Amino acid sequence: GAVGKEWEKIPPFSTFHWPTSRGSLQIGKSALFTVAMSENEEKKELAILIRPDDIISIQPDITNLLTAIRDWKLGLEKIICEKVFINAGIDNNDWQDKAANIGGKLINFITNSFKSAQQTISLEPFQKALVSSFIENHKIIIYIDDLDRGWQARNSDIFRISALLNAARDMANTYKGLQFKISLRSDVYFLVRTSDESTDKIENSVIWHKWENIDILAMLVKRVETYFGNKVDESRLNNLNQVQLAGYLEKIFTAKFQGFGKWHNASTDVVLMSMIRKRPRDLVKICAMSAQVAYSDKSNIIKTHHLQSVFEQYSQNRIQDTVNEYGSELPDIKRLLLNMKPKKSFQKKYVYNTSELTIAINNIIQGGKFIFANNKRAATPKELAQFLFKINFITARKDHIDGRIERKYFEESRYLSSDFVDFGYEWEIHPAFRWALEPSSTMEDIFNKLDLTTF
């Protein structure tokens, strides 16, 4: 949907932080940038996208912050020039030589180049409008995405991104027409923010992106309505409650989940939200997988047994996605995850108090130590517990007297487990991983112990 009005409120230098995500686990940061750039295009605003491949040649000095910031500035100026000229359709062979000596006059350099191009180059109508708009307002919007690709949480990784954030902030202050929009995973920002005191200057520019279950449900309704060719009024959808939104899903889902235990006769939308817990990409995966089963079954709606048939495969995919995602940070992550299968000695299956979680991890360590990529020493049980919380393998949970279950995720409470102090929360293994941890268990066994998520 459109993000125009909200986008205009974002300051010239902004860092966006998203609940743990990347690659196959992403929850829409790249899509949001795509939508925003499309809106820039409609307004004839000059916008460029910078990805890791574009900045691979920039090798900042990792021994001196000031030097590293300077290296980033010089490299970014060159990349901005290149992408700006390509977007504007200006093939100027000598711009690179000139760009190497900009010397703090980036906007002036581009403005003069555009004015010259207006006189000498035949531009397409859209390119003419883009050039004219820039000459008038001197505005360039720079989106930097996927910086956490290949992230290993090494000191050099943290230093590199910290220097980039400082460089972007300096450039936005120097060139009033530049607007930086930078996306980072929440755990990446957390390490950068707590490792470099200079990043306190960018704290006011941070905009946290967060999904609520009601938002994800509205997104699913929109996908369903769009599929059936119905016009969607987003403002109306956003004002509907859970029950009203769930009514739209009866076109493709059985209304009640005829499962076992705590999930028996629950509304199907609640079952879906309980499985994904604020991860919209995972919702799309479950829906697509179960829809294929329903199609093979020649059913015109997705029924309970269609959903149940894909839970184990979905769970295995989530394990593999997590291994792919964080294996560069903890090389032996798969052994840690698969050995988190709950032991009968604990009172609650899949739910640990802090002491039990520490014991469980310590037992796994007995089979071989774990070493993070950024450290040569063996990781402690508390460090591994914090890592599991950070990657959303476990979530913080508190059961209230009224029956309500309070859950907290890393991106919402990143200091909750900084030293893994007991704040009165228990630690629950995310539902999405449970079938992979116990593939031999019956559906009934898992559902009897799996609490539904409330909105």
Side-chain angles (χ1 to χ4, degrees), residues 49 77 107 170 212 222 233 252 290 366 378 383 385 394 448:
L49 176 64
E77 284 181 343
I107 299 298
D170 287 352
E212 297 293 346
K222 180 178 178 181
D233 183 344
I252 60 170
S290 57
Q366 302 310 309
E383 289 171 334
I394 59 175
N448 280 336

Side-chain angles (χ1 to χ4, degrees), residues 221-235:
V221 169
K222 180 178 178 181
R223 289 176 72 100
V224 170
E225 289 300 290
T226 302
Y227 171 79
F228 284 108
N230 299 327
K231 188 175 181 180
V232 179
D233 183 344
E234 292 182 19
S235 60

